[in-house]
Coordinates of all heavy atoms in Angstrom, one line a residue:
L1 N -65.6 -190.0 -154.6 CA -65.2 -190.2 -156.1 C -66.2 -189.5 -156.9 O -65.8 -189.0 -158.2 CB -65.0 -191.7 -156.3 CG -63.8 -192.5 -155.5 CD1 -63.9 -193.9 -155.8 CD2 -62.4 -191.9 -156.0
Y2 N -67.4 -189.9 -156.8 CA -68.5 -189.3 -157.7 C -69.5 -188.8 -156.9 O -70.5 -189.3 -156.3 CB -69.2 -190.5 -158.4 CG -68.2 -191.5 -159.0 CD1 -67.8 -192.7 -158.5 CD2 -67.6 -191.1 -160.2 CE1 -66.8 -193.5 -159.1 CE2 -66.6 -192.0 -160.9 CZ -66.4 -193.2 -160.4 OH -65.5 -194.1 -160.8
P3 N -69.4 -187.4 -156.7 CA -70.5 -186.7 -156.0 C -71.9 -186.8 -156.5 O -72.0 -186.8 -157.7 CB -70.1 -185.1 -156.2 CG -68.6 -185.2 -156.4 CD -68.4 -186.4 -157.2
P4 N -72.7 -187.4 -155.6 CA -74.1 -187.7 -156.1 C -75.0 -186.5 -156.5 O -74.9 -185.4 -156.0 CB -74.8 -188.4 -155.0 CG -74.0 -187.8 -153.8 CD -72.7 -187.6 -154.2
H5 N -75.9 -186.8 -157.5 CA -76.9 -185.9 -157.8 C -78.2 -186.4 -157.0 O -78.6 -187.6 -157.0 CB -77.3 -185.7 -159.3 CG -76.2 -185.0 -160.0 ND1 -75.0 -185.5 -160.1 CD2 -76.3 -183.8 -160.5 CE1 -74.3 -184.5 -160.8 NE2 -75.2 -183.3 -161.0
C6 N -78.9 -185.4 -156.4 CA -80.2 -185.7 -155.7 C -81.2 -186.3 -156.6 O -81.4 -185.7 -157.7 CB -80.8 -184.6 -155.2 SG -82.4 -184.8 -154.2
P7 N -81.8 -187.5 -156.4 CA -82.7 -188.1 -157.3 C -84.1 -187.4 -157.5 O -84.9 -187.7 -158.2 CB -82.8 -189.6 -156.8 CG -82.5 -189.4 -155.3 CD -81.4 -188.5 -155.3
V8 N -84.2 -186.4 -156.5 CA -85.5 -185.8 -156.6 C -85.4 -184.4 -157.2 O -86.2 -184.3 -158.3 CB -86.0 -185.3 -155.1 CG1 -87.2 -184.6 -155.0 CG2 -86.1 -186.6 -154.2
C9 N -84.4 -183.7 -157.1 CA -84.2 -182.4 -157.8 C -83.1 -182.4 -158.9 O -82.9 -181.6 -159.7 CB -83.9 -181.2 -156.9 SG -82.3 -181.4 -156.0
D10 N -82.2 -183.5 -158.9 CA -81.2 -183.7 -159.9 C -80.0 -182.8 -159.7 O -79.2 -182.6 -160.6 CB -81.7 -183.7 -161.1 CG -80.8 -184.4 -162.2 OD1 -80.2 -185.5 -161.9 OD2 -80.4 -183.9 -163.3
K11 N -80.0 -182.0 -158.6 CA -78.8 -181.2 -158.4 C -77.7 -182.0 -157.5 O -78.1 -182.9 -156.8 CB -79.4 -179.9 -157.6 CG -80.1 -179.0 -158.3 CD -80.6 -177.8 -157.5 CE -81.7 -177.0 -158.3 NZ -82.2 -175.9 -157.5
V12 N -76.5 -181.5 -157.5 CA -75.5 -182.1 -156.6 C -75.9 -182.1 -155.2 O -76.1 -181.0 -154.7 CB -74.1 -181.4 -157.0 CG1 -73.0 -182.1 -156.0 CG2 -73.7 -181.5 -158.3
A13 N -75.9 -183.1 -154.6 CA -76.2 -183.2 -153.2 C -75.2 -183.3 -152.2 O -74.1 -183.6 -152.7 CB -77.3 -184.6 -153.0
L14 N -75.4 -183.2 -150.9 CA -74.4 -183.4 -150.0 C -73.8 -184.7 -149.9 O -74.7 -185.7 -150.0 CB -74.9 -183.0 -148.5 CG -75.4 -181.6 -148.4 CD1 -76.0 -181.5 -146.9 CD2 -74.3 -180.7 -148.4
P15 N -72.5 -185.0 -150.1 CA -72.0 -186.3 -150.0 C -72.4 -187.2 -148.9 O -72.5 -188.5 -149.2 CB -70.5 -186.0 -150.0 CG -70.3 -184.7 -150.5 CD -71.5 -183.8 -150.0
K16 N -72.8 -186.7 -147.8 CA -73.1 -187.6 -146.7 C -74.3 -188.1 -146.9 O -74.9 -188.9 -146.2 CB -73.0 -186.8 -145.3 CG -74.1 -185.7 -145.3 CD -73.9 -185.1 -143.9 CE -75.1 -184.0 -143.6 NZ -75.0 -183.5 -142.4
D17 N -75.3 -187.6 -147.9 CA -76.6 -188.1 -147.9 C -76.9 -188.7 -149.3 O -77.3 -189.8 -149.4 CB -77.6 -186.9 -147.6 CG -78.9 -187.5 -147.2 OD1 -79.3 -188.7 -147.4 OD2 -79.7 -186.7 -146.6
G18 N -76.8 -187.9 -150.3 CA -77.3 -188.2 -151.7 C -78.7 -187.7 -152.0 O -79.0 -187.6 -153.2
I19 N -79.5 -187.4 -151.0 CA -80.8 -186.7 -151.3 C -80.7 -185.4 -150.4 O -80.5 -185.3 -149.3 CB -81.9 -187.7 -150.7 CG1 -81.9 -188.9 -151.5 CG2 -83.4 -186.8 -151.0 CD1 -83.0 -189.9 -151.0
C20 N -81.1 -184.3 -151.1 CA -81.1 -183.0 -150.3 C -82.0 -183.0 -149.1 O -83.1 -183.7 -149.3 CB -81.6 -181.9 -151.2 SG -80.6 -181.7 -152.8
P21 N -81.7 -182.4 -148.0 CA -82.5 -182.3 -146.8 C -83.9 -181.9 -147.2 O -84.9 -182.4 -146.7 CB -81.8 -181.4 -146.0 CG -80.4 -181.5 -146.4 CD -80.5 -181.8 -147.9
Q22 N -83.9 -180.8 -147.9 CA -85.4 -180.3 -148.3 C -86.2 -181.2 -149.1 O -87.5 -181.4 -149.1 CB -85.3 -179.0 -148.9 CG -84.5 -178.9 -150.3 CD -83.0 -178.5 -150.0 OE1 -82.4 -178.9 -149.0 NE2 -82.4 -177.9 -151.0
C23 N -85.4 -182.0 -150.1 CA -86.1 -182.9 -151.0 C -86.6 -184.2 -150.1 O -87.5 -184.7 -150.4 CB -85.2 -183.4 -152.1 SG -84.8 -182.1 -153.3
R24 N -85.8 -184.5 -149.2 CA -86.1 -185.8 -148.4 C -87.3 -185.6 -147.7 O -88.2 -186.5 -147.5 CB -85.0 -186.0 -147.4 CG -85.3 -187.2 -146.4 CD -84.0 -187.5 -145.5 NE -82.8 -188.0 -146.5 CZ -82.7 -189.4 -146.7 NH1 -83.6 -190.1 -146.4 NH2 -81.8 -189.7 -147.5
K25 N -87.7 -184.3 -147.3 CA -88.9 -184.0 -146.6 C -90.1 -184.2 -147.5 O -91.3 -184.3 -147.0 CB -88.9 -182.5 -146.0 CG -88.0 -182.3 -144.9 CD -87.9 -180.8 -144.6 CE -86.8 -180.5 -143.6 NZ -86.8 -179.2 -143.2
K26 N -89.9 -184.0 -148.9 CA -91.1 -184.1 -149.8 C -91.3 -185.7 -150.0 O -92.3 -186.1 -150.7 CB -90.7 -183.5 -151.2 CG -90.3 -182.1 -151.0 CD -89.9 -181.6 -152.4 CE -89.6 -180.2 -152.3 NZ -89.0 -179.6 -153.7
L27 N -90.5 -186.6 -149.7 CA -90.6 -188.1 -150.0 C -91.4 -188.7 -148.8 O -91.2 -188.5 -147.7 CB -89.3 -188.8 -150.2 CG -88.2 -188.1 -151.3 CD1 -87.1 -188.8 -151.1 CD2 -89.0 -188.6 -152.6
N28 N -92.5 -189.5 -149.4 CA -93.3 -190.2 -148.5 C -92.9 -191.7 -148.2 O -93.1 -192.5 -149.0 CB -94.7 -190.2 -149.0 CG -95.7 -190.8 -148.0 OD1 -95.3 -191.1 -146.9 ND2 -96.9 -190.7 -148.3
F29 N -91.9 -191.8 -147.3 CA -91.3 -193.1 -146.9 C -92.5 -194.0 -146.5 O -93.4 -193.7 -145.8 CB -90.3 -193.1 -146.0 CG -89.0 -192.6 -146.4 CD1 -88.8 -191.2 -146.5 CD2 -87.9 -193.3 -147.0 CE1 -87.6 -190.6 -147.0 CE2 -86.8 -193.0 -147.4 CZ -86.6 -191.5 -147.3
I30 N -92.5 -195.3 -147.0 CA -93.5 -196.3 -146.5 C -93.1 -196.6 -145.0 O -92.0 -197.0 -144.6 CB -93.4 -197.6 -147.3 CG1 -93.6 -197.3 -148.7 CG2 -94.4 -198.7 -146.8 CD1 -94.9 -196.8 -149.2
S31 N -94.1 -196.5 -144.2 CA -94.0 -196.8 -142.7 C -95.3 -197.5 -142.3 O -96.3 -197.5 -143.1 CB -93.7 -195.5 -141.9 OG -94.8 -194.6 -142.1
E32 N -95.3 -198.1 -141.2 CA -96.5 -198.8 -140.7 C -97.6 -197.8 -140.4 O -97.4 -196.7 -140.1 CB -96.2 -199.5 -139.4 CG -95.3 -200.6 -139.6 CD -94.9 -201.4 -138.4 OE1 -95.4 -201.1 -137.2 OE2 -94.4 -202.6 -138.4
P33 N -98.9 -198.3 -140.7 CA -99.3 -199.5 -141.1 C -99.2 -199.6 -142.7 O -99.4 -198.7 -143.4 CB -100.7 -199.5 -140.7 CG -101.3 -198.0 -141.0 CD -100.1 -197.3 -140.4
F34 N -98.7 -200.8 -143.1 CA -98.6 -201.2 -144.5 C -99.1 -202.6 -144.7 O -99.2 -203.3 -143.8 CB -97.3 -201.0 -145.1 CG -96.2 -201.8 -144.3 CD1 -95.9 -203.1 -144.5 CD2 -95.2 -201.1 -143.5 CE1 -95.0 -203.7 -143.9 CE2 -94.3 -201.7 -142.8 CZ -94.1 -202.9 -143.1
C35 N -99.6 -202.9 -146.0 CA -100.0 -204.3 -146.3 C -98.9 -205.2 -146.0 O -97.8 -205.1 -146.5 CB -100.4 -204.3 -147.8 SG -100.9 -205.8 -148.3
M36 N -99.3 -206.3 -145.3 CA -98.4 -207.3 -144.9 C -98.0 -208.3 -146.2 O -97.3 -209.2 -145.9 CB -98.9 -208.2 -143.8 CG -99.0 -207.3 -142.5 SD -97.3 -206.3 -142.1 CE -96.2 -207.7 -141.7
K37 N -98.8 -208.1 -147.2 CA -98.4 -209.0 -148.4 C -97.5 -208.0 -149.4 O -96.4 -208.5 -149.6 CB -99.8 -209.4 -149.1 CG -99.5 -210.3 -150.2 CD -99.1 -211.7 -149.7 CE -98.9 -212.7 -150.8 NZ -98.4 -214.0 -150.4
C38 N -98.1 -207.0 -150.0 CA -97.4 -206.3 -151.1 C -96.6 -205.0 -150.4 O -95.6 -204.7 -151.3 CB -98.3 -205.8 -152.0 SG -99.4 -204.4 -151.5
G39 N -96.9 -204.6 -149.3 CA -96.2 -203.5 -148.7 C -96.7 -202.0 -148.9 O -96.3 -201.2 -148.6
K40 N -97.9 -202.1 -149.6 CA -98.5 -200.8 -149.7 C -99.0 -200.2 -148.4 O -99.4 -200.7 -147.6 CB -99.8 -201.1 -150.7 CG -99.7 -201.0 -152.2 CD -101.0 -201.0 -152.9 CE -100.9 -201.2 -154.4 NZ -102.1 -201.3 -155.0
P41 N -98.9 -198.9 -148.4 CA -99.4 -198.1 -147.2 C -100.9 -198.3 -147.2 O -101.6 -198.3 -148.1 CB -99.0 -196.7 -147.4 CG -98.9 -196.6 -148.8 CD -98.4 -197.8 -149.4
I42 N -101.4 -198.6 -145.9 CA -102.9 -198.6 -145.7 C -103.1 -197.6 -144.5 O -102.4 -197.4 -143.7 CB -103.3 -200.0 -145.2 CG1 -102.5 -200.7 -144.1 CG2 -103.3 -201.0 -146.4 CD1 -103.0 -202.0 -143.9
S43 N -104.5 -197.2 -144.5 CA -104.9 -196.2 -143.6 C -105.4 -196.7 -142.3 O -105.3 -196.1 -141.1 CB -105.9 -195.3 -144.1 OG -107.1 -196.0 -144.5
D44 N -105.7 -197.9 -142.3 CA -106.4 -198.6 -141.1 C -105.5 -199.6 -140.5 O -105.2 -200.7 -141.2 CB -107.8 -199.2 -141.6 CG -108.6 -199.8 -140.3 OD1 -108.0 -199.9 -139.2 OD2 -109.7 -200.3 -140.5
A45 N -104.9 -199.4 -139.4 CA -103.9 -200.2 -138.8 C -104.4 -201.6 -138.3 O -103.8 -202.5 -138.2 CB -103.3 -199.6 -137.6
R46 N -105.8 -201.6 -138.2 CA -106.5 -202.9 -137.8 C -106.4 -204.0 -139.0 O -106.6 -205.2 -138.7 CB -107.9 -202.6 -137.4 CG -108.0 -201.7 -136.2 CD -109.4 -201.3 -135.8 NE -109.8 -200.6 -137.1 CZ -111.2 -200.1 -137.0 NH1 -112.0 -200.4 -136.0 NH2 -111.6 -199.3 -138.1

């Protein structure tokens, strides 16, 4: 109904995703290790 615009480049994105594949690669998703309180990424897994 409403073809999405990629929130990274603001161009019309592929309907199956919403974020351009090339733009997705630029995003740094939070993954472990992260702070168990606020969720910030941390470098030391210990």
Side-chain angles (χ1 to χ4, degrees):
L1 296 172
Y2 308 101
H5 281 71
C6 173
V8 181
C9 67
D10 200 40
K11 296 178 181 177
V12 175
L14 294 174
K16 68 177 183 178
D17 198 348
I19 301 176
C20 300
Q22 60 270 31
C23 288
R24 184 173 287 276
K25 294 176 183 178
K26 299 176 184 178
L27 297 170
N28 190 355
F29 285 87
I30 304 296
S31 59
E32 294 182 346
F34 54 77
C35 177
M36 295 308 295
K37 187 67 176 181
C38 72
K40 276 185 182 178
I42 52 179
S43 57
D44 191 345
R46 296 171 298 178

